[in-house]
Amino acid sequence: MKVAVIGAGTMGQGIAKAFAQCDDFDKVYLCDIKTEFAEGGLEKIKKGYEKLVSKGKMEQSAADGYIAKFVPGLNSIATDPDLVVEAALEVMQIKQDCFKDLMENVVKNENCIFASNTSSLSITEIGAGLPKPIIGMHFFNPADRMKLIEVIAGANTPDELVKKVTDISVKLGKTPVQVNEAPGFVVNRILIPLINEGIFVYSEGISDIEGIDTAMKLGCNHPMGPLELGDYIGLDIVLAIMDVIYHETGDSKYRACTLLRKMVRGKHLGVKSGIGFYKYNEDRTKTPVDKL
């Protein structure tokens, strides 16, 4: 089987690795709007495999076999995939335009499955007016290691498509959970408001950054505290998902914390920008920010 992953960023790279490491897939198109973006994504994948090999966690022959499956380039190279997984920016119009172009101008395989990795947007709205149905196939970062895939059906997603994507998820070694379309689906509907509430707790001076994270790790047995996890996800993504849930539900309990919005405006996005609630150092250590 062949898969085309649209978007060579962090999520796209992880998704592409998950497919490359599955015996059922022999070709992985890694696509983006610029060739250099796709090639840059593949270079990061290669470096990741090199680290695993150097640490004895992967055989060189296995890494070479995975890398041989990749074909990087523009979206237009994906002419014959059996599956398309879109992992573009979390913007409705971008996703709609991407699927429209792929369906009408690029993909020639009439049996191709079209899936979106959206973390919160409506599958029904993304697929509105498209010539073929789409489905949600929501991976979690790092996508090659995290076991969950949320399989989301929109109003016009046929049952047989849900079955096919569920079966593919199992082949990838993942655990699929079927989810009815709703703002934030299951994980982000619960997780992102938790992170947002942690930010409220900090902004109200109830505890400091390390105190909040330590309390949740030791009090709830969470592997990461909410502020650290927000940094890891990306505070811009946290804000975007909060806004989607708030606008879709109209419920004030999903109002994004003002501090979160301020940090995103100031480009304090977390790990990806080097600073969020913590400052991330070159030696991979982190220290809590003194003042926000």
Side-chain angles (χ1 to χ4, degrees), residues 156-274:
N156 300 311
T157 305
D159 291 342
E160 58 265 29
L161 197 53
V162 174
K163 177 66 166 58
K164 288 178 180 178
V165 170
T166 297
D167 290 344
I168 290 171
S169 300
V170 172
K171 289 179 179 179
L172 292 175
K174 308 295 188 182
T175 299
V177 172
Q178 188 174 340
V179 177
N180 293 324
E181 181 179 308
F185 314 133
V186 171
V187 173
N188 284 337
R189 179 70 170 267
I190 298 169
L191 176 64
I192 300 301
L194 184 150
I195 294 171
N196 188 59
E197 194 63 27
I199 299 172
F200 269 119
V201 169
Y202 172 75
S203 70
E204 293 169 11
I206 297 171
S207 188
D208 60 17
I209 292 169
E210 286 187 303
I212 293 167
D213 282 343
T214 299
M216 291 303 293
K217 285 190 285 187
L218 300 184
C220 297
N221 204 28
H222 290 187
M224 298 175 72
L227 304 182
E228 182 184 7
L229 182 55
D231 274 3
Y232 183 75
I233 293 170
L235 296 177
D236 52 336
I237 296 173
V238 172
L239 177 59
I241 295 172
M242 282 301 301
D243 282 345
V244 167
I245 298 173
Y246 175 70
H247 290 304
E248 286 284 318
T249 64
D251 194 327
S252 61
K253 72 180 180 182
Y254 298 117
R255 174 177 60 88
C257 182
T258 302
L259 176 59
L260 171 61
R261 203 173 296 279
K262 173 186 173 183
M263 293 177 71
V264 172
R265 287 170 176 162
K267 306 300 181 185
H268 293 196
L269 308 180
V271 175
K272 70 174 75 174
S273 66

Side-chain angles (χ1 to χ4, degrees), residues 61-243:
S61 58
D64 292 342
Y66 299 150
I67 292 169
K69 294 184 180 183
F70 287 101
V71 180
L74 300 174
N75 294 356
S76 57
I77 66 172
T79 58
D80 61 343
D82 301 287
L83 169 67
V84 166
V85 179
E86 169 271 315
L89 293 175
E90 192 75 348
V91 177
M92 180 62 70
Q93 193 62 56
I94 290 176
K95 292 182 183 295
Q96 289 175 327
D97 291 345
C98 176
F99 278 116
K100 187 174 187 294
D101 181 55
L102 287 167
M103 291 180 184
E104 295 182 354
N105 304 314
V106 179
V107 177
K108 307 305 180 185
N109 180 1
E110 294 183 357
N111 297 316
C112 182
I113 296 169
F114 292 89
S116 175
N117 181 57
T118 180
S119 57
S120 62
L121 298 177
S122 166
I123 296 299
T124 302
E125 185 175 356
I126 294 173
L130 294 176
K132 294 183 178 181
I134 69 164
I135 188 168
M137 192 176 187
H138 183 208
F139 290 77
F140 291 81
N141 188 32
D144 56 316
R145 299 196 295 277
M146 294 289 279
K147 292 296 185 181
L148 177 66
I149 293 179
E150 288 181 321
V151 180
I152 308 115
N156 300 311
T157 305
D159 291 342
E160 58 265 29
L161 197 53
V162 174
K163 177 66 166 58
K164 288 178 180 178
V165 170
T166 297
D167 290 344
I168 290 171
S169 300
V170 172
K171 289 179 179 179
L172 292 175
K174 308 295 188 182
T175 299
V177 172
Q178 188 174 340
V179 177
N180 293 324
E181 181 179 308
F185 314 133
V186 171
V187 173
N188 284 337
R189 179 70 170 267
I190 298 169
L191 176 64
I192 300 301
L194 184 150
I195 294 171
N196 188 59
E197 194 63 27
I199 299 172
F200 269 119
V201 169
Y202 172 75
S203 70
E204 293 169 11
I206 297 171
S207 188
D208 60 17
I209 292 169
E210 286 187 303
I212 293 167
D213 282 343
T214 299
M216 291 303 293
K217 285 190 285 187
L218 300 184
C220 297
N221 204 28
H222 290 187
M224 298 175 72
L227 304 182
E228 182 184 7
L229 182 55
D231 274 3
Y232 183 75
I233 293 170
L235 296 177
D236 52 336
I237 296 173
V238 172
L239 177 59
I241 295 172
M242 282 301 301
D243 282 345

Side-chain angles (χ1 to χ4, degrees), residues 5 10-20 85 87 117 137 139 143-144:
V5 178
T10 299
M11 280 305 299
Q13 292 167 33
I15 293 168
K17 287 167 69 177
F19 282 102
V85 179
N117 181 57
M137 192 176 187
F139 290 77
D144 56 316

